[in-house]
C-alpha cells in the first residue's frame, strides 16, 4: 500500500514532535514541505535523511500532477508545513482534495491511503492556555487586510461564540486598535475580554489578556514584545441575563 501522510510538526519548540511523525518522516520516500530549509532543520535535528521537495502556496498544477504521479508509482509521501498542521492557514487542503478526486479508485480499493499524523497547531495550543470558555468557537484564520475587515470586526464584537484568529507582528497593533473601537461601543456591555497568545512553545511565550484597550496599552509600553507570532482570542458576547455557554 502507498501512503500519503499529512503530518503536524512543531510550532516553535522542535521537541514537540510525535514518535509516529519521526518514524513516518524517516521512512517516507519524499517529504513535501513549504520551505525546504525550514523542514531540513527539523529533519537534521532527528538525523532524518529523507529527501525534500517544495510544495507551497505558489506551487502550480505541474507540481500537484508530479506528486500524484509519484503516488501512482508507489512512492510514500509525507506532507508538512513550516510549522503546525498542514491545511490550517497553510498549504495542503487543495493538494489533499486533488489526490482524493484523482486517485479515488486507488483510495477505494485500498492501494493508496491518505493518513493523518496529528501534531501541534497554534489554534488549540492557544485555546488550551487562554482560560477563556471555548466549548464553542469560530476560527477565522488570518483576517482579511482590506475587503470585509470592518464587517468582521463588527461580527467579532457581537458574536456569541468565542472568536479566534491568527495575526502577524506587523498588524497586531492595528488589529487591537480595531478591536478596541468595535468592542467598546456606547453600550459598555459590549466590552469583551481579548487574549493574545504570543510565541507559543518558544522562549518568550506569553499570554496577555484584558479589554482590547488594556492589551493594546500593554504592547505600546512593551514595544519589544510586538514581534513573533500571535493568536488572538476574543471571548463570546454575553448579554446581561444571557446564561448560555460560549
Ligand atoms: N499551520 C499552522 C498551525 O497549525 O497553527 C499555522 C500557520 S500560519 C501560516 C502562521 C500563523 O500561525 C502565525 O502568523 C501565528 O498567527 C500562528 N502561529 C504559528 N505558530 C505560533 C506560535 N508559536 N505562537 C503563536 N502563534 C503562532
Amino acid at each position: 500500500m502507498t501512503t500519503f501522510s499529512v503530518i503536524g510538526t512543531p510550532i516553535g519548540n522542535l521537541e514537540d514532535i510525535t514518535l509516529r511523525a519521526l518514524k513516518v518522516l524517516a521512512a517516507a520516500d519524499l517529504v513535501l514541505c513549504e520551505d525546504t530549509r525550514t523542514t531540513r532543520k527539523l529533519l537534521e535535528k532527528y538525523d532524518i535523511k529523507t529527501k525534500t521537495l517544495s510544495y507551497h502556496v505558489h506551487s502550480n498544477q505541474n507540481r500537484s500532477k508530479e506528486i500524484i504521479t509519484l503516488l501512482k508509482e508507489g512512492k510514500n509521501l509525507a506532507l508538512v508545513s513550516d510549522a503546525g498542521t498542514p491545511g490550517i492557514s497553510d498549504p495542503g487542503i487543495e493538494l489533499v482534495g486533488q489526490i482524493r478526486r484523482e486517485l479515488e479508485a486507488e483510495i477505494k480499493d485500498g492501494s493508496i491511503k491518505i493518513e493523518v499524523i496529528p501534531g501541534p497547531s497554534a489554534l488549540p495550543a492557544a485555546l488550551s492556555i487562554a482560560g477563556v470558555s471555548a466549548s464553542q468557537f469560530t476560527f477565522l484564520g488570518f483576517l482579511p487586510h482590506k475587503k470585509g475587515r470592518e464587517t468582521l470586526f463588527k461580527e467579532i464584537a457581537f458574536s456569541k461564540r468565542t472568536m479566534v484568529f491568527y495575526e502577524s507582528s506587523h498588524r497586531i497593533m492595528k488589529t487591537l486598535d480595531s478591536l478596541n473601537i468595535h468592542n467598546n461601543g456606547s453600550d459598555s456591555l459590549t466590552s469583551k475580554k481579548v487574549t493574545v497568545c504570543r510565541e507559543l512553545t518558544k522562549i518568550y511565550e506569553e499570554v496577555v489578556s484584558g479589554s482590547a484597550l488594556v492589551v493594546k496599552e500593554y504592547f505600546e509600553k512593551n514595544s519589544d514584545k510586538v514581534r513573533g507570532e500571535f493568536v488572538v482570542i476574543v471571548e463570546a458576547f454575553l448579554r446581561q441575563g444571557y446564561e448560555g455557554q460560549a
Side-chain angles (χ1 to χ4, degrees):
M1 185 204 282
T2 303
T3 312
F4 183 82
S5 309
V6 181
I7 305 181
T9 57
I11 56 168
N13 187 325
L14 290 188
E15 292 187 1
D16 292 334
I17 181 115
T18 68
L19 296 175
R20 191 166 161 234
L22 293 177
K23 211 161 102 181
V24 173
L25 285 168
D29 293 302
L30 202 55
V31 180
L32 310 173
C33 26
E34 255 190 293
D35 184 334
T36 51
R37 288 162 304 181
T38 306
T39 301
R40 273 269 140 241
K41 285 185 199 143
L42 176 72
L43 299 181
E44 275 163 18
K45 179 172 171 64
Y46 293 101
D47 203 20
I48 293 171
K49 309 270 190 253
T50 313
K51 285 201 181 110
T52 55
L53 180 74
S54 70
Y55 177 80
H56 45 72
V57 273
H58 304 297
S59 291
N60 55 26
Q61 268 302 311
N62 290 345
R63 181 48 51 93
S64 307
K65 294 263 172 239
E66 189 184 341
I67 291 167
I68 287 171
T69 304
L70 286 167
L71 284 170
K72 281 184 179 162
E73 288 169 2
K75 297 278 188 283
N76 292 308
L77 307 181
L79 173 73
V80 299
S81 61
D82 280 352
T85 299
I88 307 294
S89 298
D90 262 346
I93 301 284
E94 300 78 13
L95 179 61
V96 173
Q98 195 171 350
I99 295 170
R100 286 203 179 279
R101 282 191 303 277
E102 294 192 20
L103 301 179
E104 193 183 355
E106 291 84 345
I107 291 170
K108 264 197 187 134
D109 73 21
S111 54
I112 291 182
K113 182 186 172 192
I114 300 178
E115 67 173 14
V116 64
I117 316 289
S121 179
L123 168 66
L127 286 172
S128 71
I129 59 163
V132 172
S133 174
S135 49
Q136 285 185 24
F137 67 88
T138 301
F139 176 54
L140 302 168
F142 285 104
L143 302 185
H145 289 187
K146 289 201 177 95
K147 201 165 174 275
R149 190 173 162 88
E150 288 306 301
T151 315
L152 210 49
F153 278 115
K154 277 187 200 129
E155 206 182 313
I156 292 170
F158 288 96
S159 173
K160 289 181 181 162
R161 291 206 172 89
T162 292
M163 302 290 250
V164 192
F165 55 91
Y166 286 165
E167 196 47 279
S168 72
S169 56
H170 309 294
R171 304 188 72 83
I172 187 75
M173 296 308 287
K174 199 166 173 253
T175 292
L176 287 171
D177 220 18
S178 299
L179 284 176
N180 182 38
I181 292 164
H182 289 280
N183 284 357
N184 290 283
S186 49
D187 176 0
S188 63
L189 285 175
T190 60
S191 180
K192 294 171 137 201
K193 184 167 137 190
V194 171
T195 302
V196 171
C197 301
R198 184 175 87 89
E199 293 289 84
L200 297 170
T201 77
K202 305 184 201 174
I203 299 172
Y204 298 109
E205 175 175 301
E206 178 177 30
V207 175
V208 184
S209 62
S211 67
L213 183 63
V214 164
V215 176
K216 189 183 130 204
E217 285 173 351
Y218 171 83
F219 282 107
E220 272 166 359
K221 275 190 205 120
N222 299 278
S223 54
D224 57 314
K225 296 183 173 187
V226 187
R227 54 172 73 144
E229 302 189 281
F230 298 80
V231 180
V232 181
I233 302 173
V234 185
E235 72 167 356
F237 174 57
L238 302 178
R239 282 176 196 281
Q240 227 169 19
Y242 172 70
E243 305 291 337
Q245 270 273 304

